[in-house]
Amino acid sequence: MNRAVVKRRHRNDKIVTGISLLMTGFVLFTLGAILATLLWNGVQAIKPSLFLESTPPPGGEGGLANAIVGSLMMTALGIAIATPVGVLAGTFLAEYARHSRLAETVRFINDILLSAPSIIIGLFVYGIVVIGMGHFSGWAGVAALAIIAIPIIVRTTEDMLSLIPDALREAGAALGTPRWMVITSISYRAAFQGILTGVLLAVARVSGETAPLLFTSLNNQFWSTNLNAPLANLPVVIFQFAMSPYEDWRELAWGGALLITVAVLALNIAARFSAKQKARS
Amino acid sequence: MLETATVDRNESMQSRRNRFGMRFGDPIFRSVTLAFTVLVLLILGGVIVVLFDGAWPALRIFGPAFVWTSGWNPVTEHFGALVPLVGTIVTSVIAMVIGVPFSFGLAFFLTEICPHRLRQPIAIAIELLAAVPSIIYGIWGLFVLAPLFQHYVEPFLISTLGSVPLLGAFFQGPPIGIGMLLAGLILGLMVLPFITAVMREVFLSVPPVLRESAYGLGATRWEVAWRVVLPYCRTGVVGGVMLGLGRALGETMAVTFVIGNAHRLSMSLLAPGTTISAALANEFTEADGDIYTASLVGLGLVLFILTFFVLAIGKRLLLRSTKGTLA
């Protein structure tokens, strides 16, 4: 074998290895840079008033209390709606109709919805709920968030239920247990951690969603917990405040951004942890 | 054991409620789950119907030409989707040009080079990048990257590439930071974790025998990745890229922050532009007049159809390459 060729091949290998190492380093650096920027700019906005006062007019003193509460309300309600829908649909796919035509179609559609632009979901809810009610409202925001969460929960529920060995189900059936009881007291119990992971991931995804809320819950400058009226929420407040020319608004936007990111990343890590425990048991 | 089970069962059979459950529980539970499954289907159908219905006033006036005419004038009520559509495609293409090689590099690193102990932590860090909400990318891009672009990157590009014939046309105009190039870069960064995750999984689906025989013949790691692994899972990789593209096309908030929102067609990638999603986010709640609103919904419809096909193709390719274990 030609020595020069071998040498060239090994040199190429080293070069490419170096490049891929650099790329990985760069991407990790970017993650670090984003987090560092958020901390650097956001920490000074984190003070008690952030959680106690409502969004101020430009130049005034205030916090993000109304937006935080609005976000929590909409996320909680959206997930409360999406969880039963998603879990039951996932159950049908994994337990009743594994390879049927319908299941294949729904699986396909669900995966499309999973990556479909969230702003389109916003338009959809606008067309139904906002036009139907005649005004923007917290409920419309809840609907939009629920529709975004459903595909995530369907997907993880189905995946987790498919991991349960059929022998468990057969053991249940052999005792004369009806199918629905096999599912509720065997499959669900065995897949509980996994389904919980899916719900947590859905919460994480939904709590940072901005685009669909622009057309549905809109925003509200004042303290309000009325779901029939426009409701303040963190992402839209961040969007408006960050784009504004006012220094104090921007500071609040950074504070809100830090809050959301910490919450979302913590949820993701929690979800991963719960999935890992499942894998170990 | 058997005896206890029988006794238990007999006892439970005593209660009427339970007998009801034995008899009707199954059909009820099955139809409830079926109903919610159908609901998922209805949502997608509903999205298409509602978008079409909302866009109808505009589509009736402009016809199919809505898609390829330019012009966006709320005063004369003349609208065409061309400019935002081109913006959407251009930014997504930039995102792919940046994101795909990076994803490949990362997947190569994670599957071939990285020491086993570090693989999981690095993969998790990359997935966290995917979890960061898009609005965070937006403000980071606007306040951190845009000034960097304005003062360093763009002047450099203009002075070097700007004078190259043909290619130079893409790098003209004043360096203002925000614009198509920055939007594309951020999009690339955002879709990178998704593509990396898919690539990594398809790379790992390659039978170890193939990899080992290549190594046995004396191939280097790069040769194994490029000549054995990649050709083996080409379909899956393309599928992953399509899924990433689908996400890039519809990404809204990050782009809205850094695109500049100008309804203008420009050759230069440094010029501000707009995308469908950014136009929607900026103008929808402020649109007055039925035709204006309907045109915006029409933009949404165009975007939805586009992403639907891109995602559907990506999904099909992935299914084919991994026989349903992925995506």
Side-chain angles (χ1 to χ4, degrees):
Chain A
M1 203 189 276
N2 193 335
R3 259 218 130 88
V5 173
V6 174
K7 226 175 176 178
R8 202 187 60 221
R9 287 176 45 216
H10 280 273
R11 201 191 51 220
N12 281 349
D13 185 59
K14 284 221 174 73
I15 292 172
V16 176
T17 306
I19 292 174
S20 81
L21 189 65
L22 274 181
M23 282 175 162
T24 312
F26 179 78
V27 169
L28 294 180
F29 171 77
T30 312
L31 178 65
I34 293 175
L35 296 181
T37 318
L38 283 175
L39 273 178
W40 180 259
N41 291 295
V43 154
Q44 39 198 323
I46 305 282
K47 46 196 171 201
S49 67
L50 189 76
F51 303 97
L52 295 174
E53 287 169 37
S54 292
T55 43
E61 283 285 304
L64 296 170
N66 54 344
I68 295 172
V69 170
S71 268
L72 286 178
M73 279 170 69
M74 280 196 284
T75 307
L77 281 169
I79 293 294
I81 294 170
T83 305
V85 176
V87 169
L88 288 171
T91 308
F92 182 79
L93 295 180
E95 299 276 349
Y96 284 113
R98 279 186 201 171
H99 303 292
S100 71
R101 200 62 183 269
L102 177 68
E104 296 292 336
T105 320
V106 170
R107 228 167 258 146
F108 190 75
I109 298 298
N110 190 60
D111 279 359
I112 301 274
L113 283 176
L114 197 64
S115 330
S118 56
I119 195 158
I120 299 292
I121 307 294
L123 278 182
F124 169 60
V125 174
Y126 175 86
I128 290 187
V129 184
V130 177
I131 290 185
M133 288 174 88
H135 54 84
F136 296 102
S137 70
W139 282 116
V142 169
L145 296 184
I147 292 178
I148 291 170
I150 287 172
I152 306 173
I153 301 179
V154 170
R155 186 62 202 277
T156 37
T157 305
E158 194 207 343
D159 285 353
M160 293 304 153
L161 288 177
S162 320
L163 287 179
I164 310 294
D166 277 339
L168 269 183
R169 298 191 178 96
E170 284 154 12
L175 293 174
T177 324
R179 192 89 181 260
W180 69 276
M181 275 174 94
V182 170
I183 295 170
T184 48
S185 41
I186 298 177
S187 300
Y188 280 169
R189 197 166 291 183
F192 178 76
Q193 292 266 354
I195 296 174
L196 184 71
T197 306
V199 174
L200 284 178
L201 285 177
V203 176
R205 164 85 196 274
V206 154
S207 49
E209 276 300 343
T210 318
L213 295 179
L214 287 172
F215 319 148
T216 51
S217 85
L218 204 63
N219 197 1
N220 190 337
Q221 265 220 282
F222 307 103
W223 175 266
S224 162
T225 51
N226 181 4
L227 283 163
N228 274 316
L231 193 61
N233 58 88
L234 266 181
V236 174
V237 168
I238 295 174
F239 175 53
Q240 287 185 348
F241 280 19
M243 293 292 245
S244 79
Y246 312 112
E247 204 50 50
D248 45 346
W249 271 20
R250 284 189 185 178
E251 196 185 302
L252 280 176
W254 280 112
L258 178 63
L259 279 185
I260 279 200
T261 313
V262 169
V264 166
L265 293 188
L267 277 167
N268 263 280
I269 292 168
R272 207 166 291 281
F273 191 70
S274 113
K276 201 174 246 172
Q277 268 196 332
K278 163 79 195 145
R280 208 177 294 144
S281 63
Chain B
M1 186 63 211
L2 188 67
E3 206 145 347
T4 15
T6 335
V7 171
D8 273 350
R9 189 163 163 236
N10 281 340
E11 264 170 24
S12 67
M13 289 295 272
Q14 305 278 308
S15 83
R16 260 181 67 202
R17 210 173 124 250
N18 231 325
R19 212 173 306 152
F20 178 83
M22 295 298 264
R23 176 99 191 271
F24 300 107
D26 231 14
I28 291 174
F29 193 67
R30 189 179 192 280
S31 28
V32 169
T33 58
L34 176 65
F36 283 113
T37 311
V38 172
L39 183 69
V40 174
L41 271 184
L42 286 182
I43 291 175
L44 187 90
V47 170
I48 296 170
V49 170
V50 167
L51 287 184
F52 200 81
D53 181 57
W56 182 242
L59 294 179
R60 204 184 47 207
I61 296 178
F62 305 119
F66 177 72
V67 180
W68 60 80
T69 43
S70 62
W72 196 261
N73 193 334
V75 181
T76 60
E77 299 212 315
H78 183 84
F79 300 100
L82 186 71
V83 177
L85 183 62
V86 168
T88 300
I89 293 171
V90 169
T91 48
S92 302
V93 168
I94 299 174
M96 289 298 117
V97 167
I98 295 166
V100 173
F102 263 87
S103 306
F104 182 72
L106 259 65
F108 172 60
F109 180 79
L110 284 171
T111 51
E112 305 287 337
I113 297 171
C114 185
H116 276 272
R117 218 167 343 135
L118 285 178
R119 279 182 195 189
Q120 205 54 28
I122 293 180
I124 289 176
I126 292 171
E127 277 173 42
L128 286 185
L129 204 57
V132 173
S134 83
I135 189 165
I136 304 299
Y137 281 96
I139 47 178
W140 185 69
L142 182 65
F143 291 114
V144 178
L145 282 189
L148 283 178
F149 256 58
Q150 187 179 4
H151 297 299
Y152 303 102
V153 180
E154 290 188 352
F156 172 76
L157 287 174
I158 293 169
S159 63
T160 51
L161 292 175
S163 49
V164 178
L166 288 177
L167 194 64
F170 293 127
F171 301 98
Q172 295 298 329
I176 53 170
I178 55 177
M180 301 278 222
L181 187 64
L182 182 58
L185 175 73
I186 290 183
L187 278 181
L189 201 58
M190 293 181 70
V191 297
L192 179 157
F194 293 102
I195 308 180
T196 307
V198 175
M199 278 196 190
R200 189 169 161 243
E201 277 191 52
V202 289
F203 283 3
L204 290 175
S205 74
V206 174
V209 176
L210 275 183
R211 211 179 248 129
E212 283 156 15
S213 17
Y215 279 126
L217 288 172
T220 60
R221 288 182 292 199
W222 169 243
E223 285 164 346
V224 170
W226 189 249
R227 305 228 176 129
V228 178
V229 174
L230 192 60
Y232 182 84
C233 41
R234 205 183 301 127
T235 346
V237 169
V238 176
V241 171
M242 295 297 267
L243 288 190
L245 180 62
R247 284 195 180 251
L249 289 169
E251 185 47 61
T252 309
M253 295 322 291
V255 175
T256 307
F257 271 97
V258 296
I259 189 83
N261 303 305
H263 276 281
R264 208 171 39 190
L265 219 46
S266 165
M267 266 302 269
S268 173
L269 299 179
L270 309 183
T274 192
T275 69
I276 291 179
S277 47
L280 281 170
N282 271 306
E283 297 171 36
F284 195 74
T285 44
E286 283 155 22
D288 43 1
D290 289 345
I291 306 297
Y292 193 1
T293 309
S295 301
L296 284 166
V297 178
L299 282 184
L301 183 64
V302 172
L303 175 66
F304 187 61
I305 293 171
L306 188 66
T307 47
F308 184 91
F309 280 107
V310 170
L311 291 171
I313 294 170
K315 186 87 209 334
R316 280 224 99 94
L317 292 174
L318 269 181
L319 274 178
R320 186 143 40 104
S321 82
T322 57
K323 291 168 198 77
T325 56
L326 258 180

